[in-house]
Amino acid sequence: MVAVLIPAMAHGLKPERLAQIRQALDLQIDRRTLERWRQWWLGLFVESSFWKEARARFMPPLCPQSLPWSLCLKFEVEERRDRLLELLKYLSPITTPAAWPERVR
């Protein structure tokens, strides 16, 4: 699933990718929802104080235009699925409503 969803988020929602996502999730997720997620990664996330501080962890720097794919590659999510948990832990400071105003906007 990660291998299908993340490239779509990073490189756009072509009809084939959308069909693969819907099949993998076994539900009819709206294209607009995926577009909002993509815009969040490429817009709000990149401009967030969280990312401006956290991106220093990565050398060489990650390409902001390929987020979240570049994060998945750095965390080696495709090679080791258990690494997805590490990525989610890394992102956890921005996942609570209390953190949104100072971390994401």
Side-chain angles (χ1 to χ4, degrees), residues 55-71:
R55 67 183 177 197
R57 172 183 176 187
F58 304 104
M59 283 298 164
L62 299 182
C63 175
Q65 289 81 25
S66 65
L67 288 169
W69 181 242
S70 54
L71 269 173

Side-chain angles (χ1 to χ4, degrees), residues 33-76:
T33 299
L34 293 172
E35 265 309 320
R36 278 194 308 273
W37 292 351
R38 185 169 182 265
Q39 291 307 314
W40 181 85
W41 277 105
L42 300 177
L44 286 174
F45 180 77
V46 171
E47 294 300 320
S48 70
S49 57
F50 168 82
W51 181 242
K52 289 177 180 177
E53 183 179 318
R55 67 183 177 197
R57 172 183 176 187
F58 304 104
M59 283 298 164
L62 299 182
C63 175
Q65 289 81 25
S66 65
L67 288 169
W69 181 242
S70 54
L71 269 173
C72 287
L73 290 175
K74 196 55 106 168
F75 277 82
E76 300 176 341

Side-chain angles (χ1 to χ4, degrees), residues 1 18-28:
M1 178 57 207
L18 184 58
Q20 288 176 317
I21 291 168
R22 287 177 173 160
Q23 181 179 10
L25 292 175
D26 194 26
L27 58 94
Q28 288 298 314

